[in-house]
Amino acid sequence: MELLRKWLGHPEDIYHLLRFKMGGYRAVMPRVDPDTLGLGLRTCYRYLNQTSRSFAAVIQALDGELRHAVCIFYLVLRALDTIEDDMTISLDVKVPMLNEFHSYLYQPEWKYMESKEKHRQVLEDFPTISMEFRNLAKVYQDVISDICHKMGVGMAEFLEKKVDSQHEWDRYCHYVAGLVGIGLSRLFSASELEDPIVGQDTELANSMGLFLQKTNIIRDYLEDQMEGREFWPREVWSRYTKKLSDLTKPENIDLAVQCLNELITNTLRHVPDVLTYLSRLKNQSVFNFCAIPQVMAIATLAACYNNKQVFRGVVKIRKGQAVTLMMDATNMQSVKAIMYQYVEEIYQKIPSTDPSSNKTQQIIASIRAMSLPSGPMASRHHYSPIYLSCAMLLAALSWQYLSTISKATEEYVQAGEN
């Protein structure tokens, strides 16, 4: 019944969940027919679905040969990331592997059988992935190899040092996410589905990655603490506490929230670049691929802003909210309206005593100027009394059915929250 009460509070979620379940998902994430693929590519798409909930569906929705290039790009970086994450690999082995990993793409027999990580299959069967990499057009190979090389070097750099300054925070996020944005943008342009400027403007592409990565780092504070990882920049948190872990102490909660708000303000600086980048995209599948994670991120930041729960548990956006964002973020006008909606939500929560309040207000003002909707904001969320009554009745009749939504859909929506 708790699920029913949540839906009664948000009747629009019911409508979008039903719309999504009854076929609306095909508009944003049509799936690849495995019967049209060779054995190697079928294996790669199976690994894609096994190792990624958040990217598998949207990658498979991309048009033409770009779909395969991005699939292989993802798996190559997943293999690289698996090496970085594996704490059982000694540094004297790991560092050379990270630095040289891009060369393994051209070594047909290379594989690594000693990983203990859950996604080790991408290393154990790397010959299949590298074979499909070499089957790609050279223009795609060159991009993937170059990004893999730069990312491996960056990962090796941060293995033995923590993120201290905000500059280093940007640098770390560049290596693990900004380079992904740059690589994807170059692939978009190489496919000729997007103009050359999309791949050439590395600053905007980098911001796309930084916005997502910083959002994840902010939201995952408690999980990272529990697993012994620290990604919040010392330059910021040291102004509020002596140790990053001290932010979880009840007596420090007010200072913890102020630190949180400062990092969210820092992250919001990337939104203008995100809007400019998205406005340049022409292909619908590429737009969906890029826009959906960005609107999920702004909704997550709005949920985290000034929220003590970040230091006590997990902050997630509702599943119905995630579905609504996926269904809506298919054109620039809607994306601007979504961005406007959530920065307004943040603005309404800014404490007058917060040390970052002026900076937060300033960046929100710049985002407002870029995302001010041309029509009334209510148009996206206006529901008539008759609709609300019907929706609430529908909730009472169908909440149990919706709670058993298919595994594939459930996992994709959950991935949007993550």
Side-chain angles (χ1 to χ4, degrees), residues 274-291:
V274 167
L275 290 171
T276 301
Y277 180 98
L278 292 175
S279 70
R280 290 177 174 173
L281 301 179
K282 296 179 178 180
N283 179 269
Q284 186 65 59
S285 72
V286 172
F287 186 90
N288 293 351
F289 178 89
C290 295

Side-chain angles (χ1 to χ4, degrees), residues 20-299:
F20 190 78
K21 172 66 177 173
M22 300 307 291
Y25 64 90
R26 294 190 187 96
V28 291
M29 56 176 201
R31 297 182 67 81
V32 172
D33 181 1
D35 293 336
T36 65
L37 305 176
L39 178 60
L41 273 176
R42 283 206 303 272
T43 301
C44 287
Y45 278 102
R46 185 173 76 251
Y47 291 154
L48 175 67
N49 283 287
Q50 289 172 350
T51 59
S52 171
R53 295 179 305 177
S54 56
F55 286 107
V58 286
I59 286 175
Q60 292 176 83
L62 289 168
D63 289 339
E65 62 184 17
L66 177 62
R67 178 190 307 133
H68 301 327
V70 174
C71 173
I72 300 305
F73 184 42
Y74 174 85
L75 291 177
V76 168
L77 297 187
R78 169 60 75 181
L80 181 66
D81 190 58
T82 300
I83 291 174
E84 183 204 25
D85 287 344
D86 194 333
M87 302 305 292
T88 68
I89 305 175
S90 62
L91 288 181
D92 61 330
V93 173
K94 183 183 292 189
V95 171
M97 285 180 70
L98 291 174
N99 283 321
E100 298 168 13
F101 195 84
H102 66 290
S103 68
Y104 304 151
L105 293 167
Y106 298 97
Q107 299 178 28
E109 303 302 321
W110 187 90
K111 58 186 174 181
Y112 186 74
M113 304 299 292
E114 299 176 29
S115 176
K116 308 301 181 186
E117 287 291 295
K118 64 180 179 178
H119 297 314
R120 59 184 176 272
Q121 72 265 36
V122 296
L123 292 172
E124 294 173 349
D125 193 19
F126 197 74
T128 297
I129 297 170
S130 68
M131 176 185 69
E132 292 302 330
F133 163 82
R134 293 188 299 275
N135 285 339
L136 295 172
K138 187 177 185 300
V139 67
Y140 297 132
Q141 291 185 38
D142 290 347
V143 172
I144 295 171
S145 177
D146 180 53
I147 295 299
C148 182
H149 185 194
K150 291 174 179 175
M151 186 176 291
V153 170
M155 287 177 168
E157 176 186 331
F158 277 90
L159 277 178
E160 295 186 279
K161 74 176 185 180
K162 293 185 177 181
V163 177
D164 285 328
S165 66
Q166 293 185 67
H167 173 74
E168 284 183 337
W169 197 37
D170 281 357
R171 185 175 175 83
Y172 171 76
C173 291
H174 164 74
Y175 281 135
V176 300
L179 281 172
V180 179
I182 292 170
L184 286 169
S185 300
R186 289 170 62 187
L187 292 177
F188 298 156
S189 293
S191 72
E192 299 185 355
L193 294 176
E194 298 297 344
D195 291 338
I197 187 62
V198 172
Q200 293 167 356
D201 195 333
T202 56
E203 184 175 347
L204 292 188
N206 187 60
S207 283
M208 292 283 285
L210 263 60
F211 184 61
L212 299 181
Q213 185 66 21
K214 288 182 178 181
T215 298
N216 290 341
I217 288 173
I218 290 168
R219 181 205 56 201
D220 293 342
Y221 164 83
L222 191 60
E223 178 184 333
D224 287 337
Q225 281 293 303
M226 293 174 66
E227 297 185 11
R229 300 189 298 258
E230 293 189 355
F231 299 113
W232 284 26
R234 176 186 295 270
E235 179 184 345
V236 175
W237 62 255
S238 63
R239 291 198 287 268
Y240 301 92
T241 185
K242 291 183 178 179
K243 294 190 300 182
L244 182 57
S245 59
D246 287 345
L247 294 178
T248 60
K249 295 180 178 180
E251 63 269 26
N252 293 333
I253 192 61
D254 290 338
L255 291 173
V257 169
Q258 290 176 4
C259 181
L260 168 71
N261 291 348
E262 182 172 346
L263 289 182
I264 290 177
T265 299
N266 174 292
T267 304
L268 288 172
R269 292 187 297 106
H270 300 293
V271 173
D273 279 355
V274 167
L275 290 171
T276 301
Y277 180 98
L278 292 175
S279 70
R280 290 177 174 173
L281 301 179
K282 296 179 178 180
N283 179 269
Q284 186 65 59
S285 72
V286 172
F287 186 90
N288 293 351
F289 178 89
C290 295
I292 290 173
Q294 303 294 333
V295 296
M296 294 286 190
I298 193 67

Side-chain angles (χ1 to χ4, degrees), residues 31 338 404:
R31 297 182 67 81
I338 292 168
T404 60

Side-chain angles (χ1 to χ4, degrees), residues 327-340:
M327 300 290 282
D328 283 355
T330 57
N331 62 79
M332 199 61 215
Q333 183 176 352
S334 292
V335 168
K336 286 183 176 182
I338 292 168
M339 290 290 187
Y340 188 97

